[in-house]
Amino acid sequence: MFGEYSVNDNQPDSTDGVPQPGAGTPPGNLPPEPASFIGRESELRLLERLLRERRLITLTGVGGVGKSRLALRAVAAAAHQARADGVWWVELSPLRDPALLTATVAHAVGLADHSPRPLDEELCAWMADRELLLVLDTCEHLVSECRHLAGELLQSAPGLTILITSREPLRCAIEEVVEVRPLPCEGPDSDALALFRARALTAAPRAAAVFADPERTAVAAEVCRRLDGIPLALELAGARLRLWTVEQMAERIGERFEMLSDVRVPRPARHQTMRTTIGWSHELCEPLERLLWARLSVFTGDFDIAAARAVCAGGPLPAARVERVLAGLAAKSVVLRSQERGAGARYRLLDTIREYGHDWLCELGETQLVTDRHAHWYAALAQAADRGWMGPGQVDWYRRITAEHAQLRTALEHLLAADPTAALEMAGNLWFYWFACGHVHEGRAFLERALRLAPRTEAAYNQALWSLGLTMVLQGDMEQARRLGEECARDAARLADPERELRAAYLYAASVLMPGDPVRALELSGPRARAAHGGRPTGPGWLLCKLSTSYSLCALGRFEEATEEARSLREACAELGERWMRAYADYILAVAALGLGDHGEAARHVRAMLSGKRLLGDRLGIALGLDLLATAVAGLGDGELAARLLGTGHAWWRTVGRPQMGSPSLTAMRDQGERQARAAIGDAAFEAAFRGGAAASTG
């Protein structure tokens, strides 16, 4: 009946839609490494040793010194070491609300917890018997929170190692601090000069003549020394060789540093070097590039060109020119073009550069204006996604909203403070993201805050209340979900809105069905109830009620009726081009076929269901399907495959947090498959096959 999404796109291999144990490559989510990596041999050797011997290592250093890049190279090199449960990267730079730290880490490692327990407890329990390496990247704005979480996790999980990157250490007793220093600048073959050369040649191939001339190479080396060997400063300077000679660069850097040598706010030398270099790069930008740089600083994480146009255009910068100006910033290494996700290319600012841009945005007096634009652009995106979710673009919306996760959070946080009514509407429009895409804890927190802060506006309030009820169902908080279902139904009746009445009926029905009352669920969402409400037969409320009805009929043993209802649901979803609910219709058809004794037909339907669930990374759907497929193949006499499937299902259920969702009927079905498999092959063979399946990668 329900579903959710894992942050990781690298879903496990499968045969006929069935996730299989991973082979060879350990699970993980490491981002791609940059094309070139220069130097750091001694640091890499040190980190290789520390990652074997220590459990908490922190890389510190000034902004732009290369902490994240060094960490990525070190863990990528160490990935071949015995980390049975993989290497997981958590980028914390976009995170602004410390309360979402645990949810961010859980989501990154693939834990989409549904229990009502505090998420930090669930994360500790989930990691307790795992052997993995966790990288928390860019922690300086969350030091105390990261210190607390790291301590809890390391105490709970003896097989866990944590690598931190931060401008300051966590100051934990067991922490091993490694200061990442700038690249060596001395000598004609220094690492700093090699990096400068590589960036210069990328920006301007004609710069090769500079490095073929010893005298001009010496000037380049002086530039590297003046920049203190800080990698980001070297890359920014190297990009300028598109327009300047190396001699012009040396002269202008000298002038800039002399001019700013008496800064009002004293900073450590390397901090000042980095700040000065960024300021120098800023001065060398065109006026419109400076304006765009400042306005882009409201983005957390990466963004696409459509968002940049909508948020940053205005005044002297028309929307039609944003893309060209953005390309100019990318050519100067101010903006980085990241890998393509979702609909197309994405861009981002490094933290140090974003901070500088934000200072200028404040100087311009545009902070509130541009932040409001950002928030309302993403609120409009959430509204469009809500309208498009039940159609042929569902998979595309899933990918796009996933790519925009950091921006959606930032927008919601801003609206909660600035416009709670808009926040309430936005949080309610994201119901499918909280409910079907694995963000239950986060969704519940945002919805509860918005409902608490916003004035009661009927339609938006009803939608948010319903969305909150859905998260409660997934967490097993059925009494609260039932109460909200009743309240939603009363509000919808006052609004005379059949679609909202149907949605409320589904919420109420689900809250009584999962604990084991299919009779009442059928009364609430069955054909007679749907006819009484009216509404569109293609609307989400109607289709969700059909889903609840078909499952209730199965629970009552009325399998022919369930088949008819589920087949009708599947046809309606196929006509809409919808995939998420269609896969659950396949699931019901499989349950009904199993109830009618047709194990082959059940296996066919559940394989179709699993194929659909993989498209949307629906962890709960995959776990449900594996249990059901195991029961079907056990009935066909293949006890070994059934045991392996049950083991694989166990691994997926652990990422959900509540095995069989606490449902008596789901537990009974799973147990039936286990009994038949054990009877077919014996306990010893069952246990061996189960363990093999449980080793499946759920990354």
Side-chain angles (χ1 to χ4, degrees):
M1 290 176 60
F2 317 104
E4 79 211 50
Y5 150 75
S6 159
V7 71
N8 308 303
D9 287 333
N10 52 321
Q11 294 298 321
D13 295 335
S14 71
T15 301
D16 295 328
V18 182
Q20 298 294 314
T25 304
N29 67 338
L30 290 183
E33 283 195 81
S36 61
F37 186 92
I38 292 171
R40 304 293 195 193
E41 287 83 2
S42 61
E43 291 97 327
L44 288 169
R45 286 194 298 271
L46 173 62
L47 285 173
E48 182 182 10
R49 177 175 62 81
L50 292 177
L51 288 170
R52 290 195 307 265
E53 299 174 358
R54 298 287 190 268
R55 299 191 62 210
L56 178 62
I57 306 107
T58 299
L59 302 183
T60 65
V62 299
V65 81
K67 300 180 293 294
S68 297
R69 188 172 293 189
L70 175 59
L72 181 55
R73 170 52 62 100
V75 298
H80 68 279
Q81 297 177 7
R83 303 276 181 183
D85 297 296
V87 181
W88 300 91
W89 186 277
V90 188
E91 184 179 353
L92 297 178
S93 172
L95 184 62
R96 292 293 170 264
D97 182 2
L100 293 174
L101 173 62
T102 304
T104 302
V105 175
H107 192 61
V109 300
L111 173 62
D113 178 61
H114 283 170
S115 75
R117 288 204 306 170
L119 187 54
D120 56 351
E121 293 181 17
E122 289 297 324
L123 183 59
C124 286
W126 185 83
M127 285 194 176
D129 60 351
R130 282 175 162 80
E131 185 179 352
L132 57 83
L133 171 58
L134 181 68
V135 184
L136 303 181
D137 181 43
T138 313
C139 298
E140 55 265 12
H141 58 307
L142 300 165
V143 168
S144 62
E145 292 80 12
C146 287
R147 181 192 309 121
H148 175 76
L149 181 61
E152 293 285 313
L153 293 176
L154 290 169
Q155 186 175 14
S156 303
L160 172 66
T161 300
I162 300 178
L163 177 63
I164 301 282
T165 73
S166 176
R167 295 181 198 176
E168 61 177 287
L170 300 189
R171 296 183 176 85
C172 293
I174 65 169
E175 180 183 29
E176 184 79 28
V177 179
V178 177
E179 182 183 358
V180 180
R181 298 178 178 275
L183 293 172
C185 300
E186 301 304 321
D189 299 316
S190 71
D191 291 340
L193 183 59
L195 178 59
F196 180 69
R197 179 192 298 116
R199 185 64 187 94
L201 293 176
T202 299
R206 62 178 176 77
V210 172
F211 303 101
D213 181 339
E215 290 187 6
R216 303 187 75 195
T217 300
V219 177
E222 177 58 29
V223 169
C224 295
R225 282 191 293 274
R226 184 58 70 97
L227 296 177
D228 283 342
I230 298 175
L232 178 55
L234 296 169
E235 294 194 8
L236 290 171
R240 297 305 303 178
L241 286 187
R242 295 172 62 248
L243 302 174
W244 290 351
T245 67
V246 71
E247 291 81 8
Q248 289 172 320
M249 178 173 294
E251 180 182 354
R252 297 191 184 193
I253 287 178
E255 291 172 354
R256 173 76 185 178
F257 274 66
E258 288 169 11
M259 182 175 65
L260 294 180
S261 60
D262 59 344
V263 290
R264 297 176 186 173
V265 180
R267 300 173 185 267
R270 288 170 185 157
H271 288 274
Q272 185 56 43
T273 297
M274 191 65 253
R275 183 80 177 177
T276 301
T277 305
I278 295 175
W280 169 67
S281 295
H282 186 264
E283 288 183 1
L284 298 175
C285 288
E286 299 294 331
L288 289 182
E289 290 175 339
R290 295 180 205 168
L291 180 61
L292 181 58
W293 180 346
R295 290 175 175 176
L296 289 174
S297 68
V298 301
F299 288 98
T300 49
D302 54 20
F303 54 89
D304 63 15
I305 186 63
R309 284 196 200 98
V311 174
C312 300
L317 180 59
R321 294 191 65 182
V322 168
E323 187 166 8
R324 184 156 60 88
V325 178
L326 183 61
L329 289 174
K332 296 176 177 67
S333 293
V334 172
V335 171
L336 301 181
R337 177 171 170 146
S338 61
Q339 63 180 0
E340 294 193 358
R341 295 191 304 174
R346 299 185 68 81
Y347 303 84
R348 66 187 178 95
L349 300 177
L350 293 177
D351 271 2
T352 312
I353 289 175
R354 188 190 62 79
E355 290 161 6
Y356 192 94
H358 195 264
D359 289 346
W360 273 94
L361 189 66
C362 295
E363 289 288 328
L364 292 170
E366 290 192 351
T367 306
Q368 186 67 38
L369 171 67
V370 183
T371 305
D372 282 345
R373 278 191 204 153
H374 175 279
H376 288 289
W377 165 258
Y378 285 102
L381 183 70
Q383 185 178 51
D386 176 33
R387 290 196 300 266
W389 178 251
M390 295 298 294
Q394 187 176 76
V395 174
D396 289 336
W397 276 117
Y398 154 74
R399 290 171 179 161
R400 184 171 184 191
I401 295 298
T402 298
E404 301 292 3
H405 189 179
Q407 308 298 346
L408 293 166
R409 279 178 166 177
T410 300
L412 274 169
E413 287 291 342
H414 175 72
L415 291 174
L416 282 167
D419 188 349
T421 299
L424 183 75
E425 184 175 353
M426 182 179 178
N429 283 334
L430 287 169
W431 67 272
F432 66 91
Y433 195 51
W434 317 132
F435 180 59
C437 301
H439 298 273
V440 180
H441 280 270
E442 183 175 334
R444 180 167 181 172
F446 272 127
L447 287 160
E448 287 178 338
R449 288 172 64 190
L451 285 162
R452 189 165 58 246
L453 293 171
R456 182 163 179 157
T457 54
E458 291 296 340
Y461 187 90
N462 183 272
Q463 174 71 10
L465 204 65
W466 178 71
S467 302
L468 177 60
L470 295 180
T471 69
M472 291 173 171
V473 167
L474 288 183
Q475 289 186 317
D477 193 353
M478 299 304 177
E479 188 58 34
Q480 281 284 77
R482 183 191 59 76
R483 183 183 63 78
L484 292 190
E486 292 175 332
E487 186 176 348
C488 284
R490 289 194 298 271
D491 288 347
R494 272 200 308 274
L495 291 167
D497 187 331
E499 171 62 24
R500 297 193 184 282
E501 290 178 1
L502 289 165
R503 293 188 186 197
Y506 168 74
L507 174 58
Y508 196 171
S511 72
V512 298
L513 173 60
M514 296 311 295
D517 190 353
V519 173
R520 179 60 176 147
L522 196 58
E523 292 172 356
L524 292 164
S525 63
R528 187 175 301 172
R530 295 199 300 272
H533 292 304
R536 291 182 299 116
T538 57
W542 185 283
L543 297 176
L544 284 167
C545 282
K546 284 182 74 69
L547 179 63
S548 172
T549 298
S550 59
Y551 195 89
S552 299
L553 290 167
C554 279
L556 291 168
R558 294 158 61 178
F559 298 116
E560 292 89 351
E561 294 172 77
T563 298
E564 182 179 348
E565 190 83 0
R567 189 172 288 130
S568 169
L569 173 61
R570 193 187 192 287
E571 289 170 359
C573 292
E575 188 172 339
L576 288 170
E578 194 275 347
R579 304 302 297 260
W580 177 75
M581 207 180 307
R582 188 198 318 184
Y584 280 116
D586 279 317
Y587 177 81
I588 300 299
L589 288 169
V591 173
L594 197 66
L596 293 169
D598 192 339
H599 296 85
E601 182 74 355
R604 185 178 70 81
H605 281 302
V606 78
R607 283 191 168 96
M609 177 258 198
L610 285 165
S611 295
K613 287 305 171 189
R614 281 170 52 83
L615 281 174
L616 296 169
D618 184 346
R619 288 179 169 268
L620 176 56
I622 290 171
L624 285 166
L626 288 166
D627 279 0
L628 182 56
L629 184 56
T631 303
V633 299
L636 291 169
D638 193 340
E640 183 178 356
L641 176 57
R644 286 205 312 272
L645 289 166
L646 287 169
T648 306
H650 174 75
W652 283 88
W653 278 115
R654 289 196 64 191
T655 72
V656 175
R658 292 178 60 233
Q660 289 74 48
M661 297 185 68
S663 165
S665 61
L666 293 176
T667 302
M669 182 181 299
R670 186 252 174 230
D671 291 347
Q672 175 188 340
E674 178 173 344
R675 285 194 302 272
Q676 290 178 308
R678 286 183 182 275
I681 61 174
D683 290 342
F686 177 91
E687 295 295 341
F690 183 92
R691 286 193 299 271
S697 166
T698 57

